[in-house]
């Protein structure tokens, strides 16, 4: 049994059905890539997994460690071990990074309050690892951040919260090579037997830094093809039109 | 020249008991300088038409709400009161308290001994610093404005202080003036005159309280005169009990390279109308106007700002943040005004409102009156409940809903509160927000 199981997932917002029966299993220790053209439903899938209130699950289930999470609030899902690196993280002026990180780490602590010393030390070390300026900690969360700074901020949180399943929604898009390498460095540090990773992207670019073991292709709300690392190469060479032809053949 | 005041429809008259008799009582036994100032203010007060609810400025806050005729002046004994220290006083160098027991002035850290910093009642200042007081009392007003309540205060103030910093004074702690009115049906009329010579740096806090269920009125007037490169911060905390009524006017004139910070925090009382204005009148003069207000349980708060640029190359930035809930009602009106030929003016005006439930209301009327051609100005207002995407973001990080909402409300206000120079005031405001927000 996989740690995260997505079974025949249908979801909609308003009257629009976006996910039309997604099946996907991710185990701890595995790295999966999810690719698909713009508008195929990748961000929607990650929002539905995290429990965004705008989306309604109409059919199917999501199981984490064997238990359905559909009735859980986003904060309960986070504490159960899910983490989402947002494609477009919101800015929250007035809430400083240090205050925000402390509250989020406190929420994970068995006594509701993490000791300040070790927390600050760990945060400082991780920020250094991601080439982030110490002064960042006093800034408003994502306030006036560049694209690269926002993505580093997301990776920093992933390193601090230590999820069992992390979803990275196009963390690579809009980044220059330097920022991309830093992001990849953070991800590769996190890799290991305790983390299952779903890397969503629509370029192959990040996959040269993060080698996934599995690749899935999402089109029009369905996973239409899955494979190993060799599929990344084929897709790179032949493009989504080839995928469309393949589906037409099998259908 | 355009002014803040459009024509008032009512003809001038004296308000309530604020007449010649009371003027004579107020003048009795006073230094001639103060007597002359009172008479001049009275003349002006009696000629300004009465504010009424048909006037744009008062359309959303009827002056009749202040029931001025019902109040007689608060009695403040002549004899000095003994100073009673509060825990928070450690934040300040000088603490003044004004109450039914009288006036106490405490120089906690001996900052007044060398005479470079002067903090004293106006009558003493009239004797010891008459030339300076003659020049400064009543001089903070933006030219051309007609402010009936400010002139009323000028004629009838019943407690007043003079703060004067000589060149180079750099005060670490700050000056606190605490007003407490426990006399039912009385009006407190405090006056504050602040003169900052060049290269001075200091901060002042004024705090107003009264017991719940005691009807009080306050009509306050303050003026700040900043000379070159002075840096002065003023924090005003309206924290009255549930029956407090408040009218306050703050005016600052800011000269070359000087910077004023005017904070107005309204959380207590029943009805409150604050007007804060600055005249940045020489190149590189800079003003920051920071405001916070939180109206709940039928509270009605009105705030008005005027950023007046009478010189080229001047800056002003205004940020007012308010929340309303439980039938609370808030009004913000602001004006940026720049005179002709004032090039290189930067002026910003932002009013953000958190409307926490549908029983509450927030109105915002930002405005510009520009005669100059070359300047950067922006003004804007926002309204809304807690942002759902921000809430989702925090919750997706494991922070429970209640805590996430609390963080967002605090964060909303902290953009202003974080700039207040007194930590105890910050803590106090956080506690008030927590209580009003009810988590
Ligand atoms: N909240 C929403 N309201 C309306 N349409 C939405 C919403 N979220 C997603 N969609 C639509 O669903 C489709 C999939 O969007 P998305 O999941 O963002 O795709 P991807 O991340 O793969 O680019 C798009 O057509 C998009 O317009
Ligand atoms: Mg997307």
């Amino acid at each position: 049994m996989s740690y995260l199981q997505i079974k025949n997932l249908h979801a909609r917002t308003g009257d629009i059905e976006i996910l039309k029966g997604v099946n996907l299993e991710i185990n701890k220790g595995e790295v999966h890539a999810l690719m698909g053209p713009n508008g195929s439903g990748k961000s929607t899938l990650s929002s539905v997994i995290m429990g965004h209130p705008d989306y309604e699950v109409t059919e199917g289930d999501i199981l984490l460690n064997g238990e359905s999470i559909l009735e859980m609030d986003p904060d309960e899902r986070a504490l159960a071990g899910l983490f989402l690196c947002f494609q477009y993280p919101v800015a929250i002026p007035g809430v400083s990074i240090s205050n925000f990180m402390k509250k989020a780490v406190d929420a994970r602590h068995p006594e509701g309050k993490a000791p300040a010393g070790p927390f600050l030390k760990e945060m400082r070390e991780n920020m250094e690892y991601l080439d982030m300026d110490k002064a960042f900690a006093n800034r408003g969360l994502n306030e006036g951040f560049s694209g690269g700074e926002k993505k580093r901020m997301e990776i920093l949180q992933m390193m601090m919260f230590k999820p069992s399943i992390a979803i990275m929604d196009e963390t690579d898009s809009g980044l220059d090579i330097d920022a991309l390498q830093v992001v990849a460095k953070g991800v590769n540090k996190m890799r290991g037997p305790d983390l299952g990773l779903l890397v969503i992207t629509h370029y192959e670019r990040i996959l040269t830094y993060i080698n996934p073991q599995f690749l899935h292709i999402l089109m029009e709300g369905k996973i239409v093809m899955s494979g190993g690392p060799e599929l990344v190469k084929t897709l790179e060479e032949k493009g989504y039109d080839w995928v469309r032809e393949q589906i037409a053949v099998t259908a | 020249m355009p002014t803040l005041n459009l024509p008032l429809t009512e003809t001038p008259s004296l308000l309530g008991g604020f007449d010649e008799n009371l003027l004579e009582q107020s003048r009795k036994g006073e230094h001639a300088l103060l007597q002359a100032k009172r008479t001049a203010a009275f003349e002006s007060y009696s000629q300004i038409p009465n504010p009424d609810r048909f006037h744009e400025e008062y359309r959303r806050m009827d002056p009749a709400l202040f029931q001025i005729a019902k109040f007689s002046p608060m009695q403040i004994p002549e004899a000095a009161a003994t100073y009673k220290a509060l825990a928070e006083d450690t934040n300040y160098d000088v603490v003044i308290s004004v109450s039914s027991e009288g006036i106490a002035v405490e120089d906690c850290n001996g900052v007044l001994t060398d005479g470079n910093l002067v903090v004293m009642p106006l009558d003493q200042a009239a004797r010891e610093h008459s030339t300076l007081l003659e020049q400064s009392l009543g001089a903070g007003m933006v030219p051309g404005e007609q402010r009936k309540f400010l002139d009323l205060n000028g004629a009838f103030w019943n407690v007043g202080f003079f703060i004067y910093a000589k060149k180079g004074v750099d005060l670490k702690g700050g000056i606190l003036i605490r007003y407490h009115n426990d006399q039912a049906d009385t009006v407190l009329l405090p006056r504050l005159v602040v003169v900052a010579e060049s290269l001075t740096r200091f901060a002042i806090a004024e705090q107003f309280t009264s017991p719940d269920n005691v009807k009080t009125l306050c009509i306050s007037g303050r003026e700040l005169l900043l000379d070159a490169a002075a840096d002065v911060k003023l924090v005003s905390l309206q924290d009255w009990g549930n029956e407090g009524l408040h009218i306050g006017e703050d005016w600052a004139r800011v000269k070359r390279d000087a910077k004023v910070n005017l904070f107005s925090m309204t959380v207590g009382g029943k009805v409150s109308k604050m007007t804060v204005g600055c005249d940045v009148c020489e190149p590189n003069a800079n003003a920051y106007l920071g405001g916070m207000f939180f109206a709940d349980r039928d509270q009605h708060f009105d705030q008005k700002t005027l950023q007046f640029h009478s010189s080229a190359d001047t800056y002003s930035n205004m940020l007012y943040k308010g929340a309303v809930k439980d039938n609370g009602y808030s009004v913000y009106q602001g004006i940026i005004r720049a005179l002709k030929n004032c090039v290189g003016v930067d002026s910003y005006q932002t009013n953000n409102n958190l409307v926490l439930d549908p029983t509450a209301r927030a109105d915002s009327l930002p405005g510009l009156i520009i005669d100059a051609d070359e300047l950067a100005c922006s003004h804007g207002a926002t309204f809304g409940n807690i942002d759902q995407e921000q809430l989702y973001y925090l919750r997706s990080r494991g922070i429970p809903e209640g805590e996430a909402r609390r963080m967002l409300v605090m964060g909303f206000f902290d953009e202003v509160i974080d700039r207040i120079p007194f930590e105890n005031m910050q803590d106090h405001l956080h506690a008030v927000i927590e209580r009003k927000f009810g988590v």
Side-chain angles (χ1 to χ4, degrees), chain A:
Chain A
M1 182 192 74
S2 288
Y3 199 76
L4 176 71
Q5 295 173 277
I6 298 167
K7 294 182 166 171
N8 187 31
L9 188 68
H10 291 249
R12 67 175 183 195
T13 179
D15 289 337
I16 319 163
E17 184 169 51
I18 302 172
L19 300 183
K20 300 166 182 167
V22 174
N23 290 292
L24 186 62
E25 301 212 351
I26 300 175
N27 234 329
K28 286 191 190 178
E30 296 174 353
V31 178
H32 294 246
L34 179 71
M35 297 187 67
N38 254 332
S40 55
K42 303 183 298 294
S43 290
T44 301
L45 176 63
S46 53
S47 297
V48 171
I49 296 171
M50 205 63 235
H52 192 295
D54 282 357
Y55 299 93
E56 187 195 345
V57 172
T58 51
E59 210 183 319
D61 207 350
I62 305 173
L63 308 179
L64 188 71
N65 199 12
E67 287 187 39
S68 174
I69 60 168
L70 289 185
E71 294 302 313
M72 288 162 74
D73 287 332
D75 43 305
E76 296 170 320
R77 297 184 194 200
L79 298 183
L82 278 175
F83 182 81
L84 171 59
C85 274
F86 285 92
Q87 183 173 4
Y88 305 110
V90 294
I92 313 186
V95 173
S96 72
I97 289 176
S98 54
N99 177 29
F100 159 70
M101 289 295 243
K102 183 66 171 48
K103 291 280 158 50
V105 168
D106 281 349
R108 287 165 172 79
H109 196 269
E111 273 132 49
K113 211 157 183 71
F119 158 74
L120 287 171
K121 182 166 177 282
E122 191 182 351
M123 182 148 122
R124 208 170 37 236
E125 285 168 359
N126 285 328
M127 285 177 80
E128 231 164 81
Y129 189 81
L130 296 173
D131 287 339
M132 294 170 81
D133 191 334
K134 273 204 299 289
F136 248 70
N138 301 320
R139 286 176 61 177
L141 184 59
N142 293 325
E143 187 186 0
F145 282 24
S146 69
E149 287 169 341
K150 281 185 188 166
K151 297 301 166 79
R152 276 171 220 224
M153 188 57 218
E154 297 290 296
I155 302 293
L156 173 67
Q157 293 177 54
M158 180 162 90
M159 293 173 82
M160 295 293 291
F161 305 156
K162 303 177 189 66
S164 9
I165 298 286
I167 303 158
M168 303 178 62
D169 189 3
E170 297 208 26
T171 304
D172 53 333
S173 53
L175 296 189
D176 60 24
I177 298 281
D178 286 341
L180 193 62
Q181 283 174 350
V182 170
V183 163
K185 194 168 124 180
V187 172
N188 285 325
K189 190 177 183 202
M190 295 283 299
R191 272 179 104 145
D194 297 327
L195 176 68
L197 205 56
L198 179 65
V199 181
I200 298 176
T201 181
H202 83 244
Y203 308 110
E204 303 77 18
R205 207 164 60 132
I206 196 172
L207 303 180
T208 58
Y209 296 99
I210 303 167
N211 295 307
Q213 294 132 302
F214 307 96
L215 173 68
H216 311 277
I217 297 171
L218 187 72
M219 276 184 166
E220 287 167 31
K222 264 186 162 166
I223 288 181
V224 292
M225 198 180 274
S226 294
E230 75 291 344
L231 184 55
V232 179
K233 279 225 161 47
T234 320
L235 187 66
E236 197 173 343
E237 286 158 16
K238 301 185 174 170
Y240 287 116
D241 283 340
W242 169 77
V243 179
R244 287 191 185 95
E245 280 164 28
Q246 293 301 108
I247 314 167
V249 170
T250 49

